Amino acid sequence: MTDSTAGPGGRPSRKRLQYGEGREALLNAAVRVVARGGLRRLTYRAVAEEAGVTHGLVVHHFGSRDTLIEEALAHTIRTSLSTSSLEPGTGKVADFSTGLSEMVTADPDTQAFQYELLLESRRRPELLPQLRALYDQYFDATRRELSRMLPGGADRALTRLVFAALDGLVLHQLILGEPEVTDAAVEELRSLLRLLDANGDSPGDAHP
């Protein structure tokens, strides 16, 4: 990937970006393309145009469209996990999923990309295995943090229930806006988790 800068005499010169920077820029471009136009709009040329590079560079980095989709999805999940506080690691209910509404407000394309792929998997079942595998990272992060917060731990059903609530709130904010509603709902979810914590006779985070 290159970036145009003014060289001697005002003529443009090429500034080469580092490999990691170029790859991440292309992944972010792919996410934006899909978020705005759906998966059907994802082509090498569209990603290249969004990133401001040649389409040959997209081919060089990813080799195939399927690889680009898979890596872009993994990229969005890593981004979401790092910015949503789904797993802060403190075991305190008050810390659980802080910043969820800010994550959606700051980067709606990342969330829209994931929902686009989920819907597309109904039409293209071949996408489902990789979606399941990658979404397992969300489920695992949720289960680990719930297990830190709750003395009785968290089984599969509780983990899915809590994550489904958060996932639904993200989707609602993405479509309807209203981040303050997201914040209030997340706090209500924390109140329910405090009740589970208190019923387990654990000091936990019943009184933040």
Side-chain angles (χ1 to χ4, degrees):
M1 177 174 286
T2 57
D3 185 22
S4 295
T5 58
R11 298 179 60 184
S13 62
R14 294 289 185 174
K15 175 186 175 184
R16 183 171 296 278
L17 300 180
Q18 296 299 314
Y19 177 82
E21 293 175 328
R23 190 177 188 84
E24 183 170 354
L26 292 175
L27 290 172
N28 288 331
V31 168
R32 292 193 298 272
V33 168
V34 173
R36 296 168 188 171
L39 193 61
R40 67 187 182 280
R41 299 292 187 186
L42 186 67
T43 64
Y44 291 142
R45 196 167 300 280
V47 173
E49 182 178 347
E50 178 68 26
V53 300
T54 64
H55 75 279
L57 190 62
V58 185
V59 178
H60 169 73
H61 275 285
F62 301 103
S64 72
R65 184 172 180 269
D66 286 344
T67 298
L68 176 59
I69 292 171
E70 182 176 347
E71 294 201 24
L73 178 59
H75 173 66
T76 63
I77 289 179
R78 287 193 302 270
T79 300
S80 295
L81 285 172
S82 67
T83 58
S84 67
S85 293
L86 185 62
E87 189 183 8
T90 65
K92 295 181 179 180
V93 177
D95 295 337
F96 184 60
S97 289
T98 57
L100 187 70
S101 65
E102 289 89 344
M103 177 191 73
V104 181
T105 299
D107 189 12
D109 286 350
T110 289
Q111 311 310 316
F113 174 88
Q114 293 182 23
Y115 292 124
E116 285 285 347
L117 259 65
L118 286 169
L119 292 173
E120 185 66 23
S121 69
R122 291 177 55 84
R123 296 179 288 270
R124 294 180 53 189
E126 66 272 15
L127 291 174
L128 195 54
Q130 73 183 45
L131 280 165
R132 283 186 180 276
L134 290 166
Y135 262 72
D136 279 343
Q137 295 182 50
Y138 280 142
F139 302 145
D140 289 346
T142 304
R143 179 188 54 78
R144 287 192 299 266
E145 195 59 28
L146 288 174
S147 295
R148 294 184 185 102
M149 291 187 289
L150 305 177
D155 60 14
R156 187 169 184 255
L158 179 59
T159 296
R160 290 296 181 93
L161 176 62
V162 171
F163 179 76
L166 297 172
D167 201 30
L169 290 172
V170 170
L171 178 59
H172 290 173
Q173 184 179 330
L174 187 66
I175 302 303
L176 304 174
E178 303 176 330
E180 69 282 359
V181 174
T182 301
D183 292 337
V186 171
E187 185 51 44
E188 191 66 23
L189 176 60
R190 293 191 193 107
S191 296
L192 296 175
L193 292 174
R194 290 185 184 100
L195 290 176
L196 290 176
D197 184 7
N199 289 338
D201 295 325
S202 169
D205 189 41
H207 303 286

